[in-house]
Amino acid sequence: MSRTRKLNPVIDMARKATESELIKLGEQNALLQREQNQLDELIQYRDEYLSRFRQGDPMQMSAKKALDLRGFLAQLDQAIQAQEHQVNQSLQVVNRQQQNWVQARNKERALDTLMARYRADEERIEQKREQRENDEHTNAMWLRARRHD
């Protein structure tokens, strides 16, 4: 069995691994995007809420309502911080997954390069074999022609 035929299953496995890592990267990117969208929505909600509050007259607000507002904003800020943390974790996962994909792709490319070298070697060997056969055939014809002379 030739080296290229032996290498084919390895290259197929490398291609599948690269494709799998790329799919995982896409999934992680989608998750990161959802996490970022949720964070953006929380921030936008807080900004809109504060904007509506500032449009009213804070002097007419009761102490209880002011405390409730403060508590609500504190909870909202905690939710935003927690979501920021989640976005950062998702970003780290995306970065690791991107590295995994790059490594898999580099391995696949290295195997493709090796396969090309093996094919070139096999072609060179085949050309030498054909040349040797042609030379032998030519020599045999020449010897036959000389015997008949």
Side-chain angles (χ1 to χ4, degrees):
M1 181 180 279
S2 70
R3 292 189 300 180
T4 55
R5 293 179 92 197
K6 290 178 185 177
L7 194 56
N8 276 332
V10 177
I11 289 176
D12 289 341
M13 287 174 40
R15 284 197 176 101
K16 288 176 184 173
T18 300
E19 185 178 321
S20 173
E21 294 299 334
L22 185 59
I23 289 169
K24 290 176 190 175
L25 178 59
E27 291 169 352
Q28 291 301 322
N29 270 324
L31 177 62
L32 173 61
Q33 189 60 48
R34 286 191 303 271
E35 298 286 351
Q36 184 63 51
N37 289 343
Q38 189 173 0
L39 175 60
D40 293 343
E41 288 172 5
L42 283 169
I43 292 171
Q44 182 180 0
Y45 179 70
R46 181 189 62 194
D47 292 346
E48 289 172 2
Y49 194 83
L50 282 172
S51 176
R52 282 193 308 258
F53 166 72
R54 289 181 180 137
Q55 288 174 357
D57 186 3
M59 298 306 273
Q60 293 180 346
M61 185 182 295
S62 70
K64 169 139 177 48
K65 200 168 188 179
L67 285 175
D68 288 346
L69 173 66
R70 238 176 117 180
F72 177 72
L73 289 175
Q75 287 177 337
L76 197 51
D77 284 339
Q78 285 177 344
I80 289 171
Q81 287 177 341
Q83 191 61 31
E84 285 173 339
H85 179 70
Q86 190 63 39
V87 166
N88 287 334
Q89 285 184 324
S90 290
L91 184 58
Q92 290 174 2
V93 170
V94 165
N95 288 336
R96 280 193 303 272
Q97 188 57 45
Q98 189 171 18
Q99 290 172 352
N100 291 345
W101 171 71
V102 167
Q103 289 173 347
R105 187 186 64 189
N106 288 343
K107 181 177 180 180
E108 180 184 350
R109 286 181 176 174
L111 288 169
D112 284 340
T113 300
L114 181 62
M115 176 64 92
R117 195 173 82 219
Y118 282 178
R119 283 187 178 132
D121 288 348
E122 288 174 0
E123 286 177 21
R124 193 172 50 254
I125 289 168
E126 180 62 21
Q127 287 174 353
K128 284 181 181 180
R129 186 191 61 74
E130 287 176 5
Q131 183 64 45
R132 187 176 57 248
E133 287 176 1
N134 286 337
D135 289 348
E136 288 172 1
H137 180 69
T138 303
N139 284 339
M141 286 179 55
W142 182 78
L143 285 174
R144 269 187 250 140
R146 284 204 55 171
R147 285 186 196 151
H148 293 310
D149 284 345

